Amino acid sequence: MSVLALSGLLVTLLVAALHVYFLVLEMFLWTKPLGLKTFRNTPEKAQATRVLAANQGLYNGFLAAGIVAGLVLAQPVLVTFSLVCVVVAGAYGAYSVNRRIFFIQAL
């Protein structure tokens, strides 16, 4: 495997790992201290939005699953599709919520 291919694989795995982390933050830690700090939420706002955050976390898990499944099954089209979805979701999050999302998720 070339250095470039290995680098691409490692970055792709990092994106998948980050989306699993986002799943955990949004589904299980949203109202906990780490979730509150990460998303700069108040306990009241976090409690009011926890169901929406859990749904968002589930979608992040699907993105990670698509990347991992594509790698395991040697299906570059699935990996590419999943990575494009990550970029689109990050761009929309930057547009609709906070520009910081683009740099954390999409880049």
Side-chain angles (χ1 to χ4, degrees):
M1 180 180 284
S2 72
V3 172
L4 186 59
L6 181 59
S7 298
L9 175 61
L10 291 175
V11 170
T12 301
L13 287 170
L14 175 63
V15 171
L18 282 171
H19 280 76
V20 170
Y21 179 64
F22 299 153
L23 174 147
V24 171
L25 279 172
E26 293 167 346
M27 291 189 81
F28 305 109
L29 301 177
W30 186 256
T31 58
K32 307 289 190 248
L34 180 61
L36 295 172
K37 181 179 175 186
T38 300
F39 295 103
R40 300 176 182 165
N41 269 334
T42 63
E44 298 78 23
K45 183 179 175 187
Q47 188 60 37
T49 59
R50 71 181 176 77
V51 173
L52 294 172
N55 186 284
Q56 185 171 296
L58 184 61
Y59 280 95
N60 278 311
F62 288 144
L63 292 172
I67 292 168
V68 171
L71 291 171
V72 169
L73 299 172
Q75 295 294 319
V77 171
L78 180 55
V79 175
T80 302
F81 174 76
S82 298
L83 290 172
V84 169
C85 288
V86 166
V87 172
V88 170
Y92 184 74
Y95 165 76
S96 63
V97 179
N98 185 323
R99 263 192 262 167
R100 186 175 73 125
I101 291 173
F102 182 77
F103 298 102
I104 294 170
Q105 181 172 346
L107 261 182

